[in-house]
């Protein structure tokens, strides 16, 4: 059971990013699919009681205000809210034509805003849902969190298959879970893409190598999303998105993002948070040094064109 949860966690880390960048990367809405896109967006919409305390001015898509999106990968369970198995913050700067993504380790010990105690950052979702998660992540990174996208990862691999698979350049040959991945350009379906992104122990760079493979797959999906109107099975893609995602972005806002922010997809930078594992009262935590947290915070602030801490 524990091994299964670890595998699911690895899937969540990279696939959550695919969801958000698809929204940004989707090309022109052809009239023939407009209704389907709007229907999917309405199905995804979920209003939350949230307004960032760290924004002095309102976000303006027309003026190309850099924005942040929190990706929450959720393992939903019948009868309860579920668990947040992945937290990824993505900042989008249309002026710099770039995206920065940082995955926050789920065991990171920090103050849970609204709970009055320190705990694992992913517990914020179990305690208070999307709103408490956004508040806690905003406090931890000291940046405004403008929007969220919640992904139910149970069946989201369908989207990889729906876009016809992804093509990546594999830096070295390896075998993982019964599948051999040769060196060079390879095309992967949803199941193989998952396994390709999971392997870590045979990679000389360990987790950093695995994250680079995750980024490869995300970027390949973005390119497919950029030519969305040319997909013959767009209905399958929309169905996969609609049933697995919730967001506080409205259809009109998605259209404005598509019109004013889509060029940001051309450059994606993956940031890494490091720390030291420790056990407190029998519970494992990741302790992120203050200088490490501050460095990541400043980099994201700079990308959002906000004032950085000295």
């Amino acid at each position: 059971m524990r091994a299964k949860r670890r595998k699911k966690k690895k899937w969540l880390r990279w696939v959550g990013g695919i969801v958000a960048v698809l929204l940004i990367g989707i090309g022109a809405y052809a009239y023939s699919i407009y209704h389907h896109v709007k229907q999917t967006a309405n199905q995804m919409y979920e209003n939350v009681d949230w307004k960032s305390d760290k924004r002095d001015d309102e976000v303006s898509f027309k003026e190309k205000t850099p924005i942040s999106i929190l990706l929450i990968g959720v393992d939903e369970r019948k009868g309860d809210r579920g668990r947040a198995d992945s937290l990824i913050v993505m900042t989008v700067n249309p002026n710099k034509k770039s995206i920065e993504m940082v995955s926050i380790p789920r065991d990171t010990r920090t103050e849970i805003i609204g709970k009055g105690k320190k705990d694992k950052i992913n517990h914020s979702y179990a305690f208070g849902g999307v709103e408490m998660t956004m508040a806690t992540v905003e406090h931890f990174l000291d940046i405004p969190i403008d929007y969220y996208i919640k992904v139910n990862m149970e069946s989201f691999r369908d989207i990889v298959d729906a876009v016809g698979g992804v093509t990546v350049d594999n830096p070295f040959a390896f075998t993982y879970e019964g599948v051999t991945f040769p060196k060079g350009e390879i095309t992967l379906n949803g199941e193989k893409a998952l396994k390709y992104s999971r392997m870590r122990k045979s990679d000389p760079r360990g987790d950093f190598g695995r994250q680079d493979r995750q980024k490869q797959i995300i970027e390949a999906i973005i390119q497919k999303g950029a030519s969305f109107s040319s997909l013959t099975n767009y209905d399958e893609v929309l169905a996969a998105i609609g049933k697995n995602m919730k967001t506080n972005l409205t259809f009109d806002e998605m259209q404005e993002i598509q019109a004013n922010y889509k060029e940001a997809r051309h450059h994606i930078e993956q940031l890494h948070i490091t720390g030291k594992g420790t056990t407190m009262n029998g519970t494992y935590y990741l302790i992120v040094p203050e200088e490490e947290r501050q460095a990541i915070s400043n980099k994201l602030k700079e990308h959002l064109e906000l004032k950085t801490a000295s």
Side-chain angles (χ1 to χ4, degrees):
M1 183 67 73
R2 187 173 296 174
K4 185 176 180 181
R5 288 199 295 267
R6 284 199 298 266
K7 290 177 181 178
K8 186 175 290 185
K9 174 185 172 184
K10 292 176 182 178
W11 167 260
L12 289 166
R13 282 180 176 175
W14 70 270
V15 81
I18 295 173
V19 182
V21 291
L22 270 174
L23 293 177
I24 294 168
I26 286 175
Y29 295 119
Y31 179 77
S32 61
I33 66 171
Y34 178 88
H35 173 73
H36 296 283
V37 172
K38 185 174 182 179
Q39 189 177 49
T40 299
N42 290 337
Q43 182 183 355
M44 291 162 46
Y45 180 72
E46 180 180 70
N47 190 28
V48 294
D49 182 18
W50 174 255
K51 181 176 175 60
S52 173
D53 291 332
K54 297 184 181 296
R55 282 271 183 210
D56 294 327
D57 301 311
E58 295 287 334
V59 168
S60 171
F61 296 126
K62 288 184 172 58
E63 295 179 8
K64 298 186 176 183
T65 305
I67 61 173
S68 66
I69 302 173
L70 172 62
L71 312 173
I72 309 172
V74 177
D75 173 19
E76 292 185 336
R77 298 180 175 187
K78 195 170 183 180
D80 66 21
R81 181 182 282 126
R83 302 176 305 163
D85 276 355
S86 178
L87 296 171
I88 299 172
V89 174
M90 181 174 72
T91 57
V92 186
N93 189 317
N95 307 309
K96 296 182 178 180
K97 297 181 180 180
S98 63
I99 294 171
E100 290 186 355
M101 294 175 62
V102 58
S103 178
I104 305 175
R106 54 174 290 172
D107 295 324
T108 300
R109 190 170 189 268
T110 189
E111 182 181 353
I112 307 298
I113 303 302
K115 197 67 177 175
K117 69 173 186 176
K118 288 191 174 184
D119 206 332
K120 294 185 179 185
I121 195 166
N122 75 318
H123 286 184
S124 57
Y125 183 80
F127 290 144
V130 168
E131 292 94 334
M132 188 173 288
T133 305
M134 295 176 80
T136 298
V137 171
E138 180 171 278
H139 175 77
F140 175 69
L141 291 176
D142 193 30
I143 63 168
I145 299 296
D146 300 308
Y147 304 98
Y148 84 92
I149 297 175
K150 182 176 68 174
V151 187
N152 176 9
M153 309 311 301
E154 185 63 29
S155 59
F156 189 73
R157 71 188 72 191
D158 296 347
I159 197 170
V160 179
D161 290 323
V163 299
V166 295
T167 300
V168 297
D169 187 9
N170 185 19
F172 63 91
F174 65 90
T175 298
Y176 183 73
E177 293 189 344
V179 178
T180 297
F181 299 92
K183 181 180 179 180
E185 190 173 280
I186 54 176
T187 299
L188 309 170
N189 61 17
E191 187 65 30
K192 289 183 178 179
L194 172 57
K195 292 182 178 181
Y196 181 78
S197 72
R198 281 176 174 172
M199 194 279 288
R200 176 176 58 88
K201 292 184 178 179
S202 297
D203 193 312
R205 298 177 60 231
D207 197 50
F208 289 107
R210 181 177 62 83
Q211 289 178 5
D212 283 346
R213 288 194 303 280
Q214 294 170 356
K215 182 179 176 182
Q216 280 184 309
I217 294 173
I218 290 173
E219 290 180 344
I221 291 280
I222 293 171
Q223 298 310 316
K224 287 288 186 74
S227 58
F228 183 80
S229 59
S230 68
L231 294 175
T232 58
N233 58 337
Y234 66 84
D235 54 338
E236 294 180 29
V237 178
L238 292 174
I241 291 174
K243 71 182 180 182
N244 290 301
M245 292 172 49
K246 291 295 181 183
T247 180
N248 60 339
L249 284 164
T250 66
F251 177 63
D252 289 341
E253 288 172 333
M254 290 182 193
Q255 285 185 294
E256 290 196 69
I257 289 175
Q258 187 277 326
N260 298 300
Y261 291 67
K262 62 184 178 181
E263 295 303 313
R265 66 184 171 84
H266 292 300
H267 180 76
I268 302 173
E269 182 178 0
Q270 187 86 23
L271 308 179
H272 305 285
I273 291 180
T274 59
K276 182 178 181 180
T278 188
T279 300
M280 298 181 183
N281 298 321
T283 302
Y284 175 84
Y285 296 97
L286 182 76
I287 307 300
V288 178
E290 175 57 23
E291 58 270 23
E292 167 78 2
R293 189 204 63 78
Q294 190 67 66
I296 293 291
S297 175
N298 283 343
K299 192 163 191 346
L300 294 175
K301 284 179 181 176
E302 183 179 352
H303 196 239
L304 289 169
E305 299 180 7
L306 301 172
K307 184 178 180 181
T308 61
S310 57

